[in-house]
């Protein structure tokens, strides 16, 4: 597949209300104070990775670009804001003409990140940038969490394909986003047709236990499925007795049976028994697909089992215990006046409790050792050191309000596979540990 993100609008008239009220409160006050048009730089980053994770995965960038394009205050949205008294007439007039006309830079989708990495940088007036905080964080936090879980599962699975099948375990729209993020993280297919329609992700699906229970005999259910879908279909064999089901499946479909699916029990033990039985029945080419509350640890535990593919649902779409990437969107530089030529001044929150941040517009580059293996994530302000020039990680995504970096979905997927393969070997360990690359800060210059 090499299908581009279609850039379709989300299933609401506008993304403008995917925001928190305080953003409009700040806008209203800034307009009144005369500070709304000050040139500003906001950055998306995370202060830490989820406990035990070695790297993060950037996902959702394509959806952010769609959301920014669709961030429009139409008549219905403006009417709601007026009726609720959320903003005054001056602010309503300003919002009616809102278009993001700034620039966005970011790590390319599928890239990995670490604590402090400037994953996305949004530049423009304070007014136009501050409104995008919630929608950007909503997308990146969700999709990056799913992609990170998917990446760990893909590493554990090795060359065996992974099927995303978590739509019934999350919100119906989140399920589509999760399938997209999982594909970037290394999954091969999805059971969610909406994801297939919107993003061109390959879809798969056969039958559930209900189909077997519908029939008087398990054999009748198998026969109906084979008659309809052909001998290459996948038959679910654990509704009643697995041994009897495998025997009936091969008798119905013959040795050309495509696959059997196991959805319960001790998967390691059952998979070995089923493989032996299939071989004895002459179905040596029939594959074994396992499902049933899998996560990266369960997948790793099945590495030595005769399993050909994994189907993952709940643990994937919930980030395998970490449903958010904990990213934040912070103002790091701003001008002292509304003059477009006014220099930027670094700004940063000072706080106890681990919520401090570093001011200034930042660049990022990945330093490698003599053998080309990454050894540090270098983040800095001011000029890029000569040894890192050309290795900068951020690319421009939006220029003057125009999206310039849309990609077919296979591009970030391939990018992630390639980037992950270049990380130190410890990156794919599932045991608890620190980020595989340390973040080093280089300070210099100003916010401009």
């Amino acid at each position: 597949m090499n299908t581009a993100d279609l850039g379709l609008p989300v299933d609401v008239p506008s993304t403008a209300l995917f925001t928190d009220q305080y953003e409009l409160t700040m806008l209203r006050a800034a307009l009144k104070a005369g500070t709304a048009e000050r040139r500003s730089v906001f950055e998306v980053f995370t202060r830490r990775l989820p406990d035990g994770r070695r790297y993060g995965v950037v996902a959702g960038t394509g959806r952010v670009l769609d959301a920014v394009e669709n961030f429009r205050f139409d008549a219905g949205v403006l009417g709601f804001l007026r009726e609720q008294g959320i903003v005054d007439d001056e602010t309503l007039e300003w919002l009616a003409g809102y278009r993001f006309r700034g620039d966005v830079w970011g790590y390319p989708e599928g890239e990995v990140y670490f604590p402090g990495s400037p994953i996305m940088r949004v530049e423009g007036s304070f007014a136009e940038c501050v409104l995008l905080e919630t929608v950007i964080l909503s997308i990146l936090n969700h999709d990056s969490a799913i992609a990170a879980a998917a990446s760990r599962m893909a590493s554990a699975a090795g060359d065996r394909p992974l099927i995303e099948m978590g739509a019934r375990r999350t919100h119906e729209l989140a399920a589509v986003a999760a399938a997209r993020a999982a594909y970037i993280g290394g999954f091969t297919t999805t059971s969610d047709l909406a994801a297939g329609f919107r993003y061109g992700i390959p879809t798969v699906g056969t039958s559930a236990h209900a189909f077997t229970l519908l029939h008087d005999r398990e054999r009748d259910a198998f026969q109906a499925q084979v008659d309809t879908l052909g001998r290459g279909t996948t038959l679910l064999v654990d509704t009643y007795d697995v041994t009897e089901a495998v025997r009936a499946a091969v008798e119905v479909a013959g040795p050309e049976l495509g696959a059997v699916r196991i959805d319960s029990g001790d998967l390691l033990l059952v998979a070995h028994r089923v493989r032996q039985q299939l071989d004895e029945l002459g179905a040596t080419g029939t594959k074994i697909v396992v499902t049933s509350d899998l996560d990266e640890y369960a997948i790793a535990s099945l590495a030595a089992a005769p399993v050909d593919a994994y189907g993952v649902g709940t643990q994937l779409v919930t980030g395998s215990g970490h449903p958010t990437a904990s990213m934040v969107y912070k103002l790091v530089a701003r001008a002292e006046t509304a003059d477009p030529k006014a220099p930027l001044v670094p700004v940063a929150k000072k706080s106890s409790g681990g919520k401090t941040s570093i001011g200034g517009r930042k660049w990022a580059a990945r330093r490698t050792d003599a053998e080309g293996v990454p050894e540090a994530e270098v983040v800095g302000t001011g000029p890029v050191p000569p040894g890192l020039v050309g290795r900068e990680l951020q690319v421009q995504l939006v220029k003057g309000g125009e999206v310039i970096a849309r990609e077919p979905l296979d591009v970030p997927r391939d990018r992630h596979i390639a980037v992950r393969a270049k990380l130190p070997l410890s990156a794919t360990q599932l045991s608890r540990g620190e980020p595989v690359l340390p973040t080093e800060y280089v300070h210099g210059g100003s916010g401009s």
Side-chain angles (χ1 to χ4, degrees):
M1 296 292 296
N2 193 29
T3 305
D5 283 2
L6 301 178
L8 299 173
V10 295
D11 296 329
V12 292
S14 156
T15 56
L17 292 184
F18 290 170
T19 188
D20 288 304
Q21 183 167 325
Y22 83 153
E23 286 153 3
L24 295 181
T25 303
M26 288 187 285
L27 169 64
R28 179 177 178 179
L31 288 171
K32 185 173 183 179
T35 54
E37 296 305 316
R38 289 186 178 184
R39 191 159 59 106
S40 300
V41 179
F42 287 81
E43 287 179 350
V44 176
F45 62 93
T46 184
R47 297 184 176 95
R48 64 191 65 84
L49 297 180
D51 186 34
R53 297 287 171 91
R54 306 298 179 94
Y55 60 89
V57 180
V58 178
T61 308
R63 298 207 309 118
V64 166
L65 300 180
D66 290 345
V68 170
E69 280 192 335
N70 287 298
F71 206 91
R72 304 283 188 268
F73 291 84
D74 58 28
V77 170
L78 293 171
F80 166 76
L81 296 176
R82 180 183 297 108
E83 292 167 5
Q84 299 299 314
I86 293 171
V87 294
D88 58 10
D89 289 341
E90 178 188 1
T91 308
L92 283 170
E93 182 178 355
W94 189 92
L95 291 173
Y98 178 85
R99 298 291 185 275
F100 179 75
R101 296 182 174 87
D103 299 331
V104 179
W105 293 72
Y107 280 37
E109 194 163 22
E111 182 59 85
V112 298
Y113 68 88
F114 301 92
S117 296
I119 297 163
M120 185 170 286
R121 188 175 75 229
V122 182
E123 303 185 17
S125 71
F126 175 83
E128 63 183 337
C129 294
V130 75
L131 295 182
L132 299 177
E133 174 183 5
T134 298
V135 70
I136 288 176
L137 288 180
S138 176
I139 293 170
L140 293 181
N141 269 316
H142 174 269
D143 290 22
S144 296
I146 305 305
S151 179
R152 285 162 60 86
M153 293 173 187
S155 293
D159 295 332
R160 298 171 178 176
L162 290 157
I163 307 163
E164 186 282 313
M165 47 195 304
R168 65 193 62 194
R169 299 294 189 230
T170 188
H171 185 280
E172 65 272 19
L173 295 182
V176 182
R180 181 184 184 280
Y183 189 69
I184 291 171
F187 274 58
T188 352
T189 54
T190 179
S191 66
D192 189 351
L193 291 179
F197 171 76
R198 185 175 174 87
Y199 296 118
I201 302 170
T203 60
V204 295
T206 51
S207 66
H209 294 289
F211 186 71
T212 300
L213 296 170
L214 170 68
H215 294 80
D216 295 334
R217 296 187 308 161
E218 191 170 41
R219 179 184 296 269
D220 296 338
F222 291 167
Q223 188 67 62
Q225 187 171 326
V226 170
D227 289 346
T228 305
L229 300 176
R231 298 177 186 274
T233 191
T234 299
L235 297 178
L236 181 60
V237 295
D238 71 326
T239 305
Y240 303 118
D241 180 87
V242 173
T243 301
E244 290 300 320
V246 170
R247 181 179 296 108
V250 176
E251 288 176 355
V252 168
E256 298 85 9
L257 175 61
V260 295
R261 178 163 75 95
I262 307 167
D263 188 49
S264 60
D266 182 337
L267 297 179
L268 179 61
L269 176 62
V270 176
H272 277 287
R273 288 177 175 174
V274 168
R275 180 74 271 157
Q276 181 179 354
Q277 185 181 8
L278 287 170
D279 292 346
E280 290 173 350
L281 293 171
T284 56
T286 300
K287 299 184 182 301
I288 298 175
V289 180
V290 295
T291 53
S292 184
D293 293 327
L294 297 177
D295 62 9
E296 60 266 48
Y297 302 103
I299 292 170
S301 73
L302 293 168
V307 171
D308 298 286
Y310 306 93
V312 190
T314 303
Q315 292 301 318
L316 174 66
V317 298
T318 56
S320 195
H322 297 287
T324 176
S326 298
M327 295 177 187
V328 294
Y329 183 95
K330 296 297 181 183
L331 180 66
V332 296
R334 52 86 174 168
E336 293 184 336
T337 70
D339 184 346
K341 296 181 180 180
L344 292 172
V345 178
V347 294
K349 174 183 178 180
K350 293 183 179 180
S351 173
S352 59
K355 285 196 172 184
T356 57
S357 55
I358 298 173
R361 179 204 276 137
K362 299 173 196 68
W363 50 263
R366 197 160 291 151
R367 191 176 68 240
T368 59
D369 62 19
E371 296 180 352
V373 178
E375 61 181 8
E377 192 88 340
V378 185
V379 176
T381 58
V384 180
L388 294 176
V389 172
R391 297 186 183 183
E392 296 92 335
L393 292 165
Q394 295 152 310
V395 298
Q396 190 159 19
L397 303 169
V398 178
K399 183 177 182 179
E402 297 296 322
V403 174
I404 62 172
R406 250 192 203 95
E407 300 177 312
L409 193 56
D410 281 347
V411 173
R413 184 176 191 274
D414 292 344
R415 177 183 294 123
H416 177 65
I417 292 171
V419 168
R420 187 180 64 205
K422 292 178 181 178
L423 291 175
L425 290 176
S426 59
T428 58
Q429 290 179 343
L430 298 181
S431 57
R432 292 187 180 276
E434 296 300 313
V436 70
L437 296 185
T439 303
E440 298 179 359
Y441 293 96
V442 178
H443 302 290
S446 65
S448 60

